[in-house]
Amino acid sequence: GYRTRLLAVLGASDALSEHLVRHPEDLSVLADDQAVLTRPSAYGLTHEFLTAVGGDPARPPTGSGAGGGAAATAANATIQLRLAYRRRLLALAARDLTGITALDDVAAELADLASAALTTALAIAKAGVPDTVGCRLTVLGMGKTGGHELNYVSDVDVIFVAEPADGSSETDALAAATELAAGMMRVCSATTVEGALWAVDANLRPEGRNGPLVRTLESHLAYYRRWARTWEFQALLKARHVAGDADLAQRYLAATRPMVWSAAERENFVTDVQAMRRRVEDNIPKSEADRELKLGPGGLRDVEFSVQLLQLVHGRADEAIRSPNTLQALAALVAGGYVGRDDATELAEAYRWLRTVEHRLQVQKLRRTHTIPADAETRRWLARAVGYRGDAVAAFDNDRDRYAREVRRIQQKLFYRPLLAAVARLSTSDSRLTPEAAQARLVALGFADPAGALRHLEALTSGVSRRAAIQRTLLPAMLGWFADAANPDAGLLAFRQVSDALGATPWYLRLLRDEGATAERLARVLATSRYVAELLIRAPEGVTVLGGDDALIPHPRAALDETLSAIVERTDDWQNAVLAARGIRRHEILRVASADLLGFLDVRGVGRALADVAGSTIAAAFRTAERKVEAQHGGPLPMRMAVIAMGRLGGGEQGYGSDADVLFVHEPVDGASDEEAVSIAQTVAEEMRALLAVPAPDPALRVDADLRPEGRQGPLVRSLSSYAAYYARWSEIWEAQALTRAAPLAGDADLTERFLRLVDPVRYPAAGLTEAHVKEIRRIKARVEAERLPRGADPATHTKLGRGGLADVEWTVQLLQLQHADAVPSLRTTNTLETLDALAAAGLMTGPDAAALAEAWALATRVRNAIMLVRGRAGDSLPTDTRELAAVSRAVGFPAGATGAFVEHYRKTTRRARAVVERVFFG
């Protein structure tokens, strides 16, 4: 036995081998069968360590003046504590490495060792701080220490609580307790000739490292009642007394337990849970994700998080599942019917394997690590240390991959699949939830209407059809994706509606089942965007755009023109031709919106894509109107005609709710009278607008010609010569400003080019603007700010007319274009961001000023688009409804729970832009 234990330790641990070289007398620990094979009690360890440092085992320290002082000097006592700890660690490692002690017991004994060491360190610290009679100090173990599942080397998480004693003042008691606590931490972490034990981490205390190290019980409770976040209550789930005053610890636990078990009722519970999950994933370097035992996919944290989440949700009413120990809690969840036996068995097996590998990694050097080594030789050593033989590395890697997959699969299944068992009349299993428990779990996931969600689940999964079976396979994962998005209820409802429409279509469920990315994307967009949900409900076959990355790339204008032109040219059914073109537009908008929400398009790409599809649709409708009027006229039309894009359409920065601003221009052909040409052109324009206005399931495309000369009071269509006469004599400066966005759209290319040449001197005036023109533009802008902002709107959060919003940026850019574009040809562009780049390149605006305006314009545009996507209707102000605001924040790219940061970011960005506008535009 001695030989087996010695070779196991020498082969597995360099650190313990070095200890034996320095202290060969400790070989007796491995040689003594009785000593090494018997697990010591927690009390026995404390007695042993206190004796080793010269303390009084009969009176362990409580933090008050009584008991536990170390007789030896602090430095010597610190070394003796390390030697006593190493001897016990040596015995434990020998039992662990030879398979005598199970993982659960190893982890529990390591926690007992930590508790004994903390008690002894407190005694050593107290010997150096004699004036502690007036304070009582207790140490609460947290994390793995509190859960009796510690690693060989891990930060020992603690919280310190103190109270005055013997009539002392609170100030004096806290000062003494803080000195004691800091001293205890130094004893454990100080580097000596025998190394250090481990770091004592008190960052789980209220306010973390920024808060006081020691607080009174009442101060702790005041913080938890008012300020604590959900993760702090999740951390308290594992709290237990490990050193110091036991009575004070019990009072602390009795006061905080009710808070822990009501955390799931907090309004921000779901948001906090999602934020915790993201923090875990964000902490993993991508190069190490597949080798991370703790934080990686399918790692230890996935197991612990799943178990703790189930405890927080169901532990409110079931005290039997409140154990701080992961494996014990998992067993209790099985007994309570919250987890199936097979799933729990597989999860526990994976957890024990992961912890065993973690222990072998740490015992080698007695260093804190959770990462599987990358080099082959160290990996081989690890595989053999875990127990693999033969082709050890291959067998180890296979098991690593298998356990990671199982943990990930069961993590989804644990929380989501039992919901289906509660509603879908599945075969009886241990994981079946009562309807009440299922509703509680849905509330924890963030569903505002759990009863409604259960009805949707029942409708989707009931029965024995193949469709119901596939839905039962899909929904566990999809419920998780719904829960991660802004509006789970709306997402599940829309998914049911789409599934009802397509459920009998063979490719639909097969696509979701076999292409995991499609199902995840569908869940995310449905639970984020009412706009996308409505598009899919109207035309559910559009779900195919989510099938791959390539399918999310918008089609360019040329490809759209070719497709839509083919549709309208091959039929004389004018209305259905345009309806078909509008159907293509709906499908393309779905593609753009999905790509936008899923992060495949930036704000420039969205604006360009929406402008392209609007332009192609208008061009198709215009061509259809021309052909229809030709048929009615009985021959070729007596004029050429073009449609000019204006506003956001002309700038290639269309939004989801933007109108299509246009101008209509015509020119009589040789021999045609002006009266006939005007009449026919008017008919074509009105016919085009009528075809686009026919009721249909696609989003409205309103053609707005109000930027024409004389506005809505003027003729809808003018000839080129009429435009020339008007702009030469009557046009106002705001019309020149509007023309800075004039661009080709549809119709006769030569006429379009001549129109743009006609308006160039108007929008790019020679020698720039007069001072009177500049004053007039500023006057109009000031009037717009004073009169056009809706009543009650907050100027700080109105994306269009608010301070630093779209109008501020665009008016500034357009003013500089009118002043300088004649001399600087690079400014002759219709796109706002491109013009800002050109202004900075030409030295007409500083780089920081241009960047501030560009950032504000892009953010305001993204927010405006997000409002449309979330609500399904246009809006210009940040929502006042908290749920809608949170959804907009998520759609813009902020994580869950960061709504406040999003609003502050918006205000800060637009404030910077407004400062530039006041300096550059208003002078």
Side-chain angles (χ1 to χ4, degrees):
Y2 172 37
R3 181 178 63 230
T4 301
R5 294 189 289 270
L6 176 61
L7 293 180
V9 169
L10 295 178
S13 177
D14 295 349
L16 291 177
S17 298
E18 291 165 3
H19 174 83
L20 288 171
V21 170
R22 291 195 308 273
H23 301 283
E25 67 275 9
D26 284 353
L27 285 166
S28 61
V29 173
L30 300 178
D32 186 341
D33 286 352
Q34 183 62 30
V36 81
L37 297 179
T38 304
R39 175 183 170 181
S41 67
Y43 174 81
L45 289 171
T46 303
H47 187 284
E48 183 179 318
F49 288 3
L50 283 170
T51 301
V53 302
D56 184 355
R59 294 193 303 162
T62 64
S64 65
T73 65
N76 183 57
T78 299
I79 291 173
Q80 294 305 315
L81 172 59
R82 278 150 178 69
L83 290 173
Y85 185 89
R86 288 286 188 272
R87 282 191 293 273
R88 275 299 172 188
L89 198 65
L90 185 61
L92 174 58
R95 280 186 275 118
D96 180 15
L97 294 167
T98 55
I100 296 171
T101 301
L103 172 91
D104 312 37
D105 293 327
V106 172
E109 187 171 336
L110 285 166
D112 288 342
L113 280 168
S115 180
L118 290 170
T119 299
T120 307
L122 185 59
I124 296 171
K126 184 191 168 300
V129 187
D131 188 18
T132 60
V133 175
C135 81
R136 300 167 61 197
L137 175 68
T138 192
V139 187
L140 282 302
M142 306 289 285
K144 292 185 183 299
T145 307
H148 256 110
E149 49 194 7
L150 198 61
N151 300 328
Y152 274 97
V153 185
S154 180
D155 288 352
V156 172
D157 296 308
V158 299
I159 285 178
F160 296 105
V161 186
E163 290 287 289
D166 303 329
S168 298
S169 72
E170 183 176 299
T171 302
D172 291 343
L174 284 176
T178 300
E179 193 172 356
L180 267 181
M184 187 198 84
M185 294 173 72
R186 284 194 299 272
V187 169
C188 293
S189 60
T191 301
T192 71
V193 293
E194 295 298 333
L197 292 180
W198 15 252
V200 178
D201 188 342
N203 288 337
L204 290 177
R205 66 186 184 269
E207 300 180 73
R209 66 186 63 192
N210 297 316
L213 181 63
V214 183
R215 290 176 182 255
T216 63
L217 174 57
E218 188 51 46
S219 176
H220 275 273
L221 297 180
Y223 173 84
Y224 289 128
R225 290 186 187 112
R226 185 170 184 185
W227 304 110
R229 289 170 291 176
T230 300
W231 70 262
E232 294 178 275
F233 294 114
Q234 184 172 351
L236 283 173
L237 190 155
K238 290 183 174 289
R240 71 177 177 93
H241 171 247
V242 292
D245 192 296
D247 177 66
L248 180 56
Q250 292 309 311
R251 288 169 51 208
Y252 176 91
L253 294 172
T256 56
R257 282 291 183 258
M259 299 181 188
V260 172
W261 301 115
S262 60
E265 299 169 5
R266 292 162 58 93
E267 184 177 345
N268 59 344
F269 176 74
V270 176
T271 301
D272 284 349
V273 166
Q274 292 167 338
M276 283 186 283
R277 287 175 63 183
R278 268 188 302 278
R279 276 200 298 274
V280 168
E281 294 169 0
D282 291 345
N283 283 337
I284 315 171
K286 290 186 178 178
S287 60
E288 298 179 4
D290 61 337
R291 297 187 289 115
E292 246 290 343
L293 292 166
K294 182 178 180 181
L295 304 179
L300 290 163
R301 189 57 58 85
D302 275 354
V303 180
E304 294 161 354
F305 185 88
S306 298
V307 170
Q308 291 166 22
L309 193 55
L310 289 172
Q311 286 181 283
L312 289 172
V313 172
H314 301 294
R316 292 173 292 171
D318 190 346
E319 296 184 7
I321 63 171
R322 295 183 178 182
S323 170
N325 181 277
T326 301
L327 290 171
Q328 292 174 10
L330 184 56
L333 288 165
V334 173
Y338 304 104
V339 180
R341 293 186 187 280
D342 292 343
D343 290 338
T345 299
E346 293 177 23
L347 200 66
E349 180 185 338
Y351 184 73
R352 288 188 173 98
W353 187 89
L354 290 165
R355 290 297 304 275
T356 299
V357 176
E358 182 183 46
H359 281 188
R360 297 297 178 268
L361 278 170
Q362 293 182 351
V363 81
Q364 183 190 26
K365 303 287 187 184
L366 288 183
R367 290 177 186 165
R368 183 171 180 262
T369 179
H370 313 283
T371 307
I372 296 172
D375 66 285
E377 186 56 35
T378 312
R379 208 178 185 94
R380 177 181 173 277
W381 165 85
L382 176 62
R384 291 184 63 81
V386 174
Y388 291 91
R389 297 294 181 265
D391 191 353
V393 174
F396 174 88
D397 287 344
N398 285 337
D399 278 356
R400 162 62 180 154
D401 293 342
R402 177 169 62 87
Y403 284 126
R405 285 195 307 270
E406 282 300 288
V407 169
R408 214 44 159 177
R409 179 185 66 82
I410 296 171
Q411 180 198 27
Q412 295 175 344
K413 186 176 178 181
L414 279 182
F415 207 72
Y416 307 123
R417 186 159 294 168
L419 292 169
L420 308 184
V423 299
R425 312 294 192 270
L426 303 183
S427 58
T428 304
S429 74
D430 294 317
S431 63
R432 185 181 177 89
L433 295 180
T434 65
E436 293 76 16
Q439 288 198 38
R441 196 170 290 189
L442 283 165
V443 170
L445 281 170
F447 285 84
D449 179 16
L454 287 176
R455 288 194 298 271
H456 298 322
L457 292 176
E458 184 167 16
L460 287 164
T461 60
S462 292
V464 295
S465 67
R466 179 175 175 275
R467 172 186 171 187
I470 295 177
Q471 291 283 23
R472 288 195 288 269
T473 302
L474 288 170
L475 277 165
M478 294 195 73
L479 281 171
W481 295 324
F482 288 136
D484 282 341
N487 194 337
D489 297 86
L492 181 57
L493 171 60
F495 177 68
R496 177 185 172 184
Q497 291 171 319
V498 172
S499 295
D500 285 347
L502 287 177
T505 308
W507 60 262
Y508 168 63
L509 290 176
R510 186 168 61 247
L511 176 68
L512 297 186
R513 182 194 63 198
D514 298 340
E515 301 290 339
T518 306
E520 181 176 0
R521 288 170 178 174
L522 179 61
R524 285 177 58 188
V525 298
L526 289 179
T528 301
S529 172
R530 182 177 297 178
Y531 185 78
V532 171
E534 289 174 353
L535 287 175
L536 278 172
I537 291 166
R538 291 170 183 168
E541 68 281 356
V543 74
T544 54
V545 303
L546 302 171
D549 293 357
D550 291 344
L552 288 167
I553 299 174
H555 292 150
R557 172 71 190 267
L560 291 168
D561 283 347
E562 184 178 352
T563 300
L564 270 61
S565 176
I567 290 173
V568 300
E569 292 287 354
R570 65 172 177 244
T571 179
D572 293 337
D573 186 343
W574 321 115
Q575 183 168 303
N576 283 333
V578 173
L579 287 175
R582 288 168 58 182
I584 299 293
R585 171 176 174 262
R586 177 183 60 240
H587 194 79
E588 194 64 18
I589 290 176
L590 175 62
R591 188 192 318 277
V592 174
S594 299
D596 186 1
L597 289 168
L598 296 170
F600 284 81
L601 280 181
D602 62 11
V603 68
R604 290 187 192 227
V606 171
R608 180 74 269 161
L610 291 174
D612 283 348
V613 69
S616 286
T617 307
I618 290 171
F622 175 73
R623 178 58 187 146
T624 304
E626 277 191 324
R627 293 183 64 227
K628 182 178 180 180
V629 175
E630 277 179 359
Q632 294 170 344
H633 186 66
L637 299 180
M639 83 297 172
R640 289 180 291 273
M641 189 170 176
V643 186
I644 309 300
M646 300 287 284
R648 299 194 179 285
L649 183 60
E653 47 200 30
Q654 194 84 340
Y656 295 104
S658 299
D659 290 344
D661 292 311
V662 301
L663 296 179
F664 294 103
V665 58
H666 80 276
E667 184 178 63
V669 298
D670 292 340
S673 68
D674 289 345
E675 293 78 7
E676 184 185 22
V678 168
S679 174
I680 296 295
Q682 179 88 11
T683 302
V684 171
E686 290 174 348
E687 190 64 49
M688 185 196 86
R689 297 172 79 184
L691 288 169
L692 289 171
V694 172
D698 54 276
L701 178 57
R702 181 174 175 268
V703 175
D704 187 341
D706 288 352
L707 291 176
R708 64 187 183 268
E710 302 175 74
R712 66 185 62 185
Q713 306 303 320
L716 179 64
V717 181
R718 284 180 182 261
S719 67
L720 185 63
S721 59
S722 175
Y723 274 108
Y726 177 85
Y727 288 131
R729 185 173 183 184
W730 302 109
S731 70
E732 299 182 32
I733 190 62
W734 70 264
E735 293 176 288
Q737 185 178 344
L739 287 170
T740 60
R741 289 187 168 191
L745 184 63
D748 189 274
D750 177 68
L751 180 59
T752 298
E753 184 180 348
R754 286 189 290 129
F755 176 85
L756 294 177
R757 284 203 305 268
L758 168 69
V759 300
D760 277 351
V762 181
R763 58 181 174 172
Y764 310 134
L769 296 176
T770 66
E771 185 61 32
H773 282 147
V774 173
K775 287 182 178 179
E776 176 64 8
I777 290 174
R778 289 173 175 167
R779 185 193 68 78
I780 297 172
K781 176 69 167 67
R783 182 178 175 185
V784 167
E785 289 185 6
E787 298 178 4
R788 297 280 299 280
L789 193 70
R791 179 172 297 181
D794 182 356
T797 57
H798 196 278
T799 60
K800 184 177 180 181
L801 301 175
R803 294 189 290 268
L806 297 174
D808 266 2
V809 177
E810 290 163 1
W811 281 64
T812 302
V813 167
Q814 290 157 17
L815 174 64
L816 292 173
Q817 281 182 293
L818 290 166
Q819 289 176 314
H820 303 289
D822 178 61
V824 184
S826 61
L827 298 183
R828 299 175 190 176
T829 172
T830 61
N831 182 274
T832 302
L833 293 179
E834 290 176 7
T835 308
L836 281 168
D837 291 340
L839 287 166
L844 296 170
M845 182 179 287
T846 68
D849 281 355
L853 293 184
E855 184 182 5
W857 187 92
L859 179 60
T861 300
R862 290 182 67 199
V863 170
R864 202 165 180 235
N865 281 341
I867 292 169
M868 181 69 173
L869 289 172
V870 167
R871 288 177 167 172
R873 65 181 190 279
D876 290 322
S877 289
L878 295 189
T880 54
D881 178 84
T882 55
R883 195 177 184 103
E884 280 189 351
L885 182 61
V888 168
S889 170
R890 296 284 299 278
V892 169
F894 279 74
T899 305
F902 158 65
V903 174
E904 180 54 33
H905 174 68
Y906 182 86
R907 290 175 178 271
K908 183 178 179 181
T909 302
T910 52
R911 278 198 305 268
R912 284 200 301 264
R914 179 64 182 192
V916 175
V917 171
E918 291 185 354
R919 186 171 64 254
V920 175
F921 180 85
F922 286 110

